[in-house]
Amino acid sequence: MSELSHNHDEHHDHHEEEGPHSSFSGYMLGFMASIFLTAIPFWLVMGDVFSSRNTTVLIILAFALVQILVHMVYFLHMNFQSEGGWTMLSLIFTVVLLFITLAGSLWVMYHMNVNMMPSMMSGGS
Amino acid sequence: MSHSTATPAVQAGQFDFLVKGEHHVANGTLLGFWLYLMSDCLIFAALFATYGVLSQNYAGGPSGADLFDLPLVALNTSFLLFSSITYGFAMLQMQQRKLKGTMIWLAITGVFGAGFLGLELYEFYHLLHQGAGPQRSAFLSAFFTLVGTHGLHVCIGIIWLVTLLFQLRKHGLTTANRRRLFCLSMFWHFLDVVWIGVFTIVYLMGSLS
């Protein structure tokens, strides 16, 4: 019985590698995707590809979102299993707070500016 | 029956307590550091929200389109991106227990990080020289706070990286040092993720307006 527990220990020692196991191909895939996802937004803005500002903004924001996901998966090794799911749960919680902070601030302050008295508008945006 | 299986397990548990304790602490560190990163993320959320609200308040001063030098930002972005992949290579070397390779790739990462910081300081100096300092307008205050906080994080990351290089040279790839490398890896990649938001929202969208 004690021998069994000893074996268990050795197994632990051997498998002590904390954190996720990463691979060369994973890093390279993430890196190539990142270069692609960085270069295109810069090209869109520097080359004045679209005449409409809103189109460009929407596209580069979409590219940023995809690139953040790529970094999360290939560089930070996010998945639903690590640490019993707690990293993913805390990430989701943070993203919810992030969304509330950003959307709430922009929404409230935009309406403040729009609904301000005309005499005060000159000082605002 | 149940007695015969339970007793050795308890004894083994008592015997292994100190040894196993270390193992559990090591696991706790990675989750704890991740939670720190998430709270850091909330700091950046507040700074991004501030920038978003104030980004059009030029107070008659220069706008992002007047100030930002996109080729410089592109170079800066590539530095940070390259430093991410070189840190990845350092982690791969660490997995194969190659101390020298780990240290070399870590040093290259540090050089890219320093290059990023140098370019950012050059940009700040240039802006201050033009009279576009943080006191010029609400837009510039928010800009310097957001980008400056990110730069400060990179600076601290470089100090940590150099400290780890000395630790590695002295103690090698011990369990503690591997844990530290994992934590710095998360920190470094996290900063790259924040930079994606910075170059998209601040520089690219700022240049469009």
Side-chain angles (χ1 to χ4, degrees), chain B residues 178-192:
Chain B
R178 292 207 305 278
R179 189 173 66 228
R180 289 165 188 151
L181 278 168
F182 264 120
C183 286
L184 182 57
S185 147
M186 286 197 280
F187 187 70
W188 200 263
H189 292 311
F190 167 75
L191 289 184
D192 205 4

Side-chain angles (χ1 to χ4, degrees), chain A residues 1 5 8-9 12 15-24 27-28 31 34-35 37-38 41-42 45-46 48 53 56-57 60-61 64 67-68 71-72 75-76 78 83 86-88 90-91 94 97-98 101-102 105-106 109 124-125, chain B residues 5 8 12 16 20 23 26-27 30-31 34-35 38 41-42 45-46 48-49 52-53 56-57 70-71 73-74 77 81-82 84-85 88-89 91-92 95 97 175 178-179 182 186 189-190 192-193 196 199-201 204-205 207-209:
Chain A
M1 225 25 188
S5 74
H8 184 68
D9 262 12
H12 254 287
H15 204 263
E16 204 164 15
E17 189 79 322
E18 315 118 0
H21 196 84
S22 35
S23 68
F24 179 77
Y27 275 118
M28 280 320 275
F31 181 62
S34 296
I35 288 184
L37 291 164
T38 304
F42 270 97
V45 173
M46 288 165 86
D48 274 329
R53 179 180 187 269
T56 316
V57 167
I60 63 174
L61 280 179
Q67 197 182 347
I68 286 173
H71 277 241
M72 284 282 175
F75 292 161
L76 282 165
M78 280 303 295
E83 306 282 355
W86 284 105
T87 49
M88 185 54 89
S90 55
L91 177 67
T94 311
L97 286 185
L98 200 95
T101 312
L102 288 175
S105 302
L106 292 175
M109 293 310 286
S125 68
Chain B
T5 50
D16 291 340
K20 283 197 167 174
H23 181 73
N27 270 345
L30 292 188
L31 179 58
W34 178 258
L35 291 181
M38 290 299 99
C41 199
L42 293 181
F48 269 112
V53 168
Q56 311 291 318
N57 298 10
L70 280 187
V73 179
T77 306
L81 202 56
F82 274 114
S84 254
I85 188 71
F89 291 155
M91 294 301 283
L92 292 174
Q95 278 178 359
R97 297 290 188 275
T175 310
R178 292 207 305 278
R179 189 173 66 228
F182 264 120
M186 286 197 280
H189 292 311
F190 167 75
D192 205 4
V193 169
I196 298 170
F199 82 70
T200 304
I201 292 172
L204 291 181
M205 278 167 66
S207 298
L208 282 171
S209 57

